[in-house]
Amino acid sequence: MAKPKKILKIIAGVIVFFTLPTLLLFGFVYFKYDEDLPTGTKGAPAEQLASTMLNALDHEAYKKTNYLEWTFKKRHHFKWNKAENTCEVYWKDYKVNLDLNATSKSEVFQNEQKIEGNDAHDLIEKALSYFNNDSFWVVAPYKVFDFGTERSVVTLENGSEALLVTYKSGGTTPGDSYLWHLDASGKPESFQMWVDILPIGGLETSWTDWTTTASGANLPTFHKFLVFGIEITDLVAE
């Protein structure tokens, strides 16, 4: 029978074996990519740059889009009635009929059985969090003039201009900032993130896999984030 001291050494060895590679990877990513939030210039040039980005994506077509449906990373499915500001959110065996105007009026089902009380409240909050996060990866460019946003122009090292958008209020994590990198026409190619959920500032994600939907709105189908992929499938916009 192993002595207690030997058992502790074995346990410590197992912990180091599994955590050390993760710590080394985090350290590598942190020192390679971490950046301070840049300072931009507010005012008319920033407003114009934001408008140029929207025009490059046919913002008018998006505004006329009444219904969007998509699956996020093959985990969560959404049927968003944008005109009525409601959304059906599906994951595992749950379905939440979100009322985005008054979430307390939302309804929760598990295997088609209605759930009430505190359990329902918790699941509504989870569905709302999923919606806020997952819809952002679909329609973020169209949200640059949302209430509570602040826009500024950042001049990059190569002399080009990028659009910094900070969400002062609203959503799940107010205070998050995104630096949009645009092509010559103003269409997004990527953004860098300074967000509460990530300990590393300035990580970049692609916005290049666009599709023109039936409504005419331009929406993404895939984002590359470091070595990971964020897949958006079953995309419908009408």
Side-chain angles (χ1 to χ4, degrees):
M1 183 176 178
K3 296 180 179 179
K5 190 173 181 179
K6 187 175 182 180
I7 293 174
L8 289 174
K9 283 185 177 181
I10 293 172
I11 294 172
V14 170
I15 293 172
V16 169
F17 178 80
F18 284 105
T19 60
L20 185 59
T22 301
L23 291 172
L24 290 173
L25 177 60
F26 174 80
F28 170 77
V29 173
Y30 182 86
F31 287 108
K32 181 175 176 62
Y33 294 105
D34 185 64
E35 297 181 19
D36 292 332
L37 179 66
T39 301
T41 303
K42 303 180 184 68
E47 306 304 288
Q48 181 57 52
L49 187 59
S51 295
T52 298
M53 182 174 76
L54 289 178
N55 290 336
L57 293 172
D58 196 346
H59 186 218
E60 289 302 314
Y62 174 75
K63 286 198 299 184
K64 294 175 183 177
T65 300
N66 292 319
Y67 176 83
L68 289 96
E69 182 175 348
W70 73 95
T71 300
F72 183 78
K73 296 174 67 174
K74 299 181 180 179
R75 297 176 186 174
H76 312 143
H77 187 71
F78 301 86
K79 296 181 179 180
W80 180 19
N81 189 323
K82 191 160 73 74
E84 297 183 1
N85 209 22
T86 61
C87 186
E88 296 176 13
V89 184
Y90 301 81
W91 75 97
K92 295 182 179 178
D93 53 358
Y94 295 108
K95 172 188 174 183
V96 177
N97 294 330
L98 269 181
D99 185 327
L100 296 166
N101 293 316
T103 54
S104 62
K105 297 180 180 179
S106 303
E107 295 180 317
V108 182
F109 300 87
Q110 183 178 21
N111 293 323
E112 300 185 1
Q113 186 74 31
K114 191 170 184 179
I115 299 174
E116 306 277 5
N118 290 333
D119 289 341
H121 176 269
D122 292 344
L123 289 165
I124 290 169
E125 290 299 309
K126 180 174 285 191
L128 181 61
S129 179
Y130 287 158
F131 175 80
N132 287 338
N133 178 78
D134 300 0
S135 65
F136 192 81
W137 289 101
V138 179
V139 301
Y142 298 107
K143 296 174 66 64
V144 295
F145 282 108
D146 276 10
F147 178 79
T149 56
E150 182 179 87
R151 292 155 297 283
S152 58
V153 174
V154 174
T155 302
L156 304 176
E157 291 183 0
N158 63 6
S160 64
E161 293 182 336
L163 178 67
L164 181 64
V165 180
T166 298
Y167 291 80
K168 295 291 188 178
S169 62
T172 304
T173 55
D176 291 350
S177 294
Y178 302 86
L179 184 65
W180 289 95
H181 296 259
L182 313 175
D183 66 14
S185 71
K187 195 170 185 178
E189 294 183 319
S190 67
F191 66 28
Q192 290 178 266
M193 301 176 286
W194 287 263
V195 296
D196 185 64
I197 197 173
L198 294 175
I200 300 172
L203 290 176
E204 191 167 7
T205 301
S206 71
W207 282 74
T208 53
D209 291 68
W210 297 93
T211 185
T212 302
T213 62
S215 71
N218 287 281
L219 299 173
T221 58
F222 185 82
H223 304 283
K224 184 178 180 182
F225 174 58
L226 295 175
V227 298
F228 308 103
I230 298 174
E231 190 176 15
I232 297 162
T233 54
D234 309 313
L235 183 60
V236 176
E238 302 172 341

